[in-house]
């Protein structure tokens, strides 16, 4: 009997003898994930995030929350009742208002961490963010899932009026689904969205970009290796110099399916 065979036998015997213990440990790990209810458990969304740990869900009831929320490096889900009911009506009735106070409405990630976090934000309207980068959402060394969001009336003095991303790991994929980016503005690049990272793939589906404006890339400005648009409507976006609907910088491949570009300038 060689060494590898002997080690395999020992490992199999260990698993058989400790199968119950392994299952119990897995159950215990799963049970640690909590649902933190806002405002029942905490008055603000940020307080719920601060109390959360990786794997937790911060579940937000309908209402208007005037605050700027920061995920930091946490891998958590923050969502409205859309995530539990499947009803998109909660997007319009669950609002995070950045109060135009010089900060993004939502920020995600921590550039000083070794690994990028993978948070999820779902089921909100984000309004009145005003800052230099990423008025609506600022993403720095995170790979978030953004879905079922209305991102409206946000501005950036530099780039990314609606969403700004940077320091995303090179081989990552960003997935944006069921987004409405409307009436966001940037004084330079990417009125609706600026992806400032040469990542493997950016996927945007079932989304609307409307009435966004910038000098370059009114709807979006993307740097990456591949962009995939599916069922995306680009309407009434504008740019002062080029890319009314959008602009792709150093892009290798663009795949566009079932999408509409109308009245962009």
């Amino acid at each position: 009997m060689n060494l590898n065979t002997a080690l395999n036998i020992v490992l199999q015997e260990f698993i058989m003898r400790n199968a119950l213990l392994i299952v119990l440990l897995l159950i215990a790990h799963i049970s640690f994930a909590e649902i933190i209810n806002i405002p029942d458990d905490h008055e603000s969304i940020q307080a719920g995030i601060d109390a959360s740990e990786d794997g937790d869900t911060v579940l937000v009831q309908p209402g208007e929350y005037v605050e700027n929320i920061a995920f930091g490096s946490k891998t958590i889900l923050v969502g409205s009742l859309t995530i539990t009911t499947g009803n998109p009506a909660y997007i319009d009735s669950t609002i995070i208002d950045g109060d135009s106070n010089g900060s993004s409405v939502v920020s995600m990630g921590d550039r000083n961490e070794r690994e990028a976090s993978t948070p999820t934000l779902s089921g909100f309207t984000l309004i009145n963010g005003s800052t230099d980068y990423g008025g609506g959402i600022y993403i720095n060394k995170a790979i978030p899932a953004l879905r079922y969001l209305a991102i409206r009336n946000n501005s950036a003095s530099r780039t990314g009026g609606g969403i700004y991303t940077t320091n995303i790991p090179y081989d990552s994929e960003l997935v944006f689904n069921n987004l409405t980016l409307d009436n966001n503005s940037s004084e330079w690049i990417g009125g609706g969205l600026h992806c400032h990272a040469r990542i493997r793939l950016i996927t945007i589906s079932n989304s609307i970009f409307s009435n966004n404006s910038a000098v370059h890339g009114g709807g979006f400005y993307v740097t990456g290796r591949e962009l995939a648009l599916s069922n995306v409507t680009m309407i009434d976006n504008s740019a002062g110099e080029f890319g009314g609907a959008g602009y792709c910088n150093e892009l290798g491949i663009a795949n566009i399916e079932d999408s509409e570009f109308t009245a962009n300038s």
Side-chain angles (χ1 to χ4, degrees), residues 135-256:
I137 303 176
Y138 176 82
I139 301 164
N140 191 336
K141 203 167 186 181
I143 311 169
L146 303 181
R147 55 193 186 221
Y148 297 101
L149 299 173
I151 304 169
R152 296 191 171 100
N153 304 329
N154 304 284
S155 64
S157 62
R158 295 291 292 169
T159 75
I163 303 171
Y164 175 77
T165 73
T166 189
N167 289 322
I168 311 297
Y170 185 72
D171 287 326
S172 303
E173 176 183 1
L174 282 175
V175 178
F176 302 148
N177 186 30
N178 285 283
L179 304 186
T180 296
L181 289 109
D182 178 65
N183 199 39
N184 303 287
S185 64
S186 164
E187 295 181 20
W188 184 28
I189 290 174
L193 164 70
H194 180 200
C195 287
H196 182 236
R198 296 199 76 255
I199 61 175
R200 179 175 59 84
L201 176 62
I202 301 162
T203 300
I204 305 172
S205 60
N206 306 313
S207 296
I208 300 172
F209 289 66
S210 59
N211 303 297
N212 302 290
S213 61
V215 176
H216 308 304
F220 63 80
Y221 188 104
V222 170
T223 301
R225 288 142 65 191
E226 183 174 352
L227 171 68
L229 301 181
S230 176
N231 192 28
V232 173
T233 297
M234 310 290 301
I235 183 169
D236 290 326
N237 302 285
S238 62
E241 294 189 7
F242 54 78
Y247 182 81
C248 299
N249 183 31
E250 301 179 7
L251 191 71
I253 302 172
N255 294 309
I256 302 174

Side-chain angles (χ1 to χ4, degrees), residues 30-94:
I30 294 170
S31 68
F32 288 150
E34 295 185 5
I35 297 177
I36 298 169
N37 290 285
I38 308 300
D40 291 345
D41 296 331
H42 298 275
E43 290 187 1
S44 69
I45 301 171
Q46 186 61 56
I49 292 173
D50 292 343
S52 71
E53 298 182 359
D54 285 354
D56 287 349
T57 296
V58 178
L59 183 63
V60 182
Q61 298 295 316
E64 185 167 346
Y65 300 82
V66 181
E67 56 180 306
N68 308 87
I69 66 173
F71 282 66
S73 60
K74 292 184 176 181
T75 294
I76 58 175
L77 165 60
V78 178
S80 73
L81 295 186
T82 296
I83 68 172
T84 57
T85 66
N87 186 349
Y90 288 109
I91 299 171
D92 291 333
S93 62
T94 315

